[in-house]
Amino acid sequence: MRILIRNGVVVTAEGTGAADVLVDGETIVQVAPGITASADRVVDATARLVIPGGVDVHTHLDMPYGDAVSADDFASGTIAAAMGGTTTIVDFAVQDRGGTLHAAVQTWKAKASGKAAIDYGFHVIVSDVTPAVLREMDELVNEGITTFKLFMAYPGRLMLDDAAIFRALLATATNGGMVMMHAENGSVIEVLQERALAAGHTEPMQHALTRPPLVEAEAAHRAIALAEMAGAPLYIVHVSAAETVDEIAAARARGRPVFGETCPQYLFLTDAAYQQDGARFIMSPPLRDERAQERLWRGLLADQLQTVGTDHCPFTLAEKHRHAAFNQVPGGAATIETRMALLFDAGRLPLERFVAVTATEPARLFGLYPKKGTIAPGSDADLVIWDAERAQTISAATHHMRVDHSPYEGRVLKGAPDMVLLRGQLIVEHGAFAGVAGAGRFLPRARRPV
Ligand code: URP
Ligand code: ZN
Ligand code: ZN
């Protein structure tokens, strides 16, 4: 099947211009103005943008969290992603303490297989750094699972000490993988939580007060120093604090391969949200103030932050509300569907940078480029025909995520996908899902050259 997308404005991280896009089967074969080749289907993209399918490298689908499970599985989560213009995700497989990394990957492959409507890869959350696990990290890099999330928070569950972190970083320095760091000082949080609870403070605002910005920035600083001593690259996930952006910017100015991700919730919401029905907004790190938001936007513009991932980890209102104190509420928010529209509507990034942070840079950093993340001959035909003028109102009543609330309820956004293609197959048309749950493929990812 050949599809010709005519008369659109093609946007890549490198530039914007009027061009047609010819797709043959699963692949883009030509990008040029005035293509005259014959096609089985011609799509008129007049007055619309043609952008690469979004790449969201931070999702938690079907993830157990205490006795709860994140509300979207690989079917509902990837359909919602597609509806928002995202065609690739990289989800986190979680190592059980004492279990192997391969077992975690097998479990997550089973969760995704037959359900995912878009393409997907996996990172592994490493909860236990043993000599066997370090060997497994080398093996997984060779199998296309090249990135490993470590936690500096959640003592007794996921938190690793500096020795374990340093060992994992040393492994990635030579195996071509990369550590993704959850940078929060878990010991300080534990003490601040103990004190808050002892004083009878259980309300959601305490979540932010017990995780002040320096909790994040100190951990980021330490992680950056450990990575530098190990000679390893480092990706810091879900950056929320201005001080953390400063740490990443300073490391990058020294020429270190340190990368930062922020998320829509930190760009569009503030800690004022904890005042009213605040449990809904409990996520880690917590929401911050307007000053932090401004620093994040500035960081995205200045390439001090490279990506916007979602950290999509939704829990129903019943789950969010059934706990007596802030520190028991499962953390996370629902954003997999709204990431691209929120960012586009804000209008704060040039179009090329919008494409870079939502598709190209995540594809590059996570070994998927140029198959994913761009519009070029030879790339997968993952394309979004984006109507910059179409308004949409965000609401849990109409979104496709399987959760009964949205952090952005009632927001009117300008800009939405008209049509989404995954490897040349139409998966969204006229505002409706037209794909197949199960058509998504596992993506082995390329390792970083060492
Ligand atoms: O609160 C959050 N962010 N939950 C998801 C897990 C994580 O730390 O990314
Ligand atoms: Zn995290
Ligand atoms: Zn996360």
Side-chain angles (χ1 to χ4, degrees):
M1 168 98 162
R2 275 157 74 92
I3 302 176
L4 178 59
I5 302 168
R6 297 188 55 211
N7 304 324
V9 172
V10 172
V11 185
T12 67
E14 284 73 40
T16 300
D20 299 342
V21 182
L22 183 63
V23 173
D24 193 353
E26 299 197 339
T27 311
I28 296 168
V29 291
Q30 196 182 357
V31 184
I35 296 176
T36 53
S38 63
D40 304 296
R41 179 164 180 184
V42 177
V43 175
D44 184 10
T46 299
R48 281 162 299 164
L49 305 175
V50 183
I51 61 175
V55 179
D56 182 353
V57 293
H58 194 148
T59 67
H60 300 280
L61 300 178
D62 202 357
M63 186 188 79
Y65 193 116
D67 56 1
V69 179
S70 61
D72 275 313
D73 67 5
F74 275 82
S76 63
T78 57
I79 289 171
M83 291 300 296
T86 291
T87 51
T88 299
I89 57 165
V90 188
D91 199 83
F92 290 89
V94 187
Q95 179 202 13
D96 292 328
R97 266 206 166 151
T100 67
L101 304 190
H102 280 92
V105 170
Q106 285 320 313
T107 302
W108 254 259
K109 280 190 173 169
K111 287 174 191 274
S113 163
K115 283 191 170 179
I118 61 174
D119 289 352
Y120 57 93
F122 297 115
H123 322 282
V124 185
I125 290 177
V126 179
S127 59
D128 201 7
V129 180
T130 62
V133 162
L134 290 167
R135 280 194 297 278
E136 276 201 286
M137 286 172 70
D138 293 345
E139 290 160 13
L140 282 172
V141 169
N142 292 328
E143 294 161 27
I145 294 165
T146 57
T147 37
F148 305 93
K149 185 176 180 195
L150 310 183
F151 281 77
M152 300 171 92
Y154 305 115
R157 275 204 296 134
L158 292 164
M159 184 168 127
L160 299 174
D161 65 17
D162 289 353
I165 291 169
F166 191 53
R167 285 195 175 97
L169 284 163
L170 284 169
T172 56
T174 52
N175 69 16
M178 182 166 70
V179 164
M180 306 169 74
M181 193 62 82
H182 180 120
E184 287 189 301
N185 184 320
S187 305
V188 170
I189 294 166
E190 188 174 48
V191 174
L192 292 176
Q193 287 186 342
E194 269 168 25
R195 289 161 61 101
L197 294 171
H201 298 308
T202 56
E203 71 282 8
M205 181 52 102
Q206 293 300 321
H207 179 66
L209 296 176
T210 56
R211 301 174 109 95
L214 279 186
V215 152
E216 185 184 301
E218 181 281 326
H221 180 92
R222 187 160 30 106
I224 289 167
L226 292 170
E228 186 161 352
M229 286 187 276
L234 180 71
Y235 180 92
I236 302 185
V237 293
H238 48 47
V239 172
S240 69
E243 294 80 353
T244 310
V245 187
D246 293 342
E247 294 289 349
I248 295 169
R252 290 177 63 79
R254 292 200 314 276
R256 296 300 310 154
V258 174
F259 310 100
E261 164 200 273
T262 190
C263 311
Q265 47 273 34
Y266 304 119
L267 295 166
F268 294 100
L269 304 171
T270 69
D271 53 6
Y274 293 120
Q275 308 276 14
Q276 240 188 352
D277 193 7
R280 288 188 296 145
F281 297 95
I282 287 186
M283 62 195 77
S284 297
L287 300 173
R288 308 289 185 191
D289 58 13
E290 282 87 359
R291 183 186 69 94
Q293 281 186 341
E294 286 309 309
R295 184 70 187 93
L296 295 172
W297 282 111
R298 201 152 54 78
L300 283 173
L301 273 168
D303 195 30
Q304 294 166 337
L305 298 173
Q306 286 65 46
T307 69
V308 177
T310 55
D311 196 5
H312 179 75
C313 192
F315 293 95
T316 60
L317 282 176
E319 274 301 341
K320 287 285 195 185
H321 286 150
R322 82 183 166 88
H323 303 274
F326 68 92
N327 63 326
Q328 296 158 354
V329 177
T335 319
I336 202 167
E337 188 168 352
T338 42
R339 174 183 72 128
M340 300 195 42
L342 282 162
L343 229 68
F344 183 87
D345 171 76
R348 296 189 60 156
L349 303 177
L351 281 178
E352 295 82 2
R353 190 71 187 146
F354 162 71
V355 164
V357 302
T358 56
T360 317
E361 287 299 324
R364 273 200 185 112
L365 288 170
F366 289 87
L368 293 166
Y369 184 89
K371 191 176 163 70
K372 305 291 188 189
T374 193
I375 301 178
S379 294
D380 280 1
D382 294 355
L383 297 164
V384 181
I385 300 180
W386 187 273
D387 185 346
E389 297 303 320
R390 184 146 65 85
Q392 56 168 319
T393 304
I394 304 300
S395 174
T398 50
H399 71 201
H400 298 79
M401 298 174 282
R402 204 161 58 192
V403 61
D404 50 359
H405 58 112
S406 165
Y408 311 103
E409 185 68 36
R411 278 193 201 219
V412 181
L413 305 178
K414 215 163 138 195
D418 264 1
M419 209 180 244
V420 180
L421 276 78
L422 172 72
R423 285 181 276 102
Q425 296 290 317
L426 214 59
I427 60 168
V428 175
E429 190 171 19
H430 307 312
F433 179 66
V436 180
R441 282 189 199 147
F442 169 68
L443 295 167
R445 294 179 288 118
R447 57 203 246 144
R448 184 178 43 82
V450 283

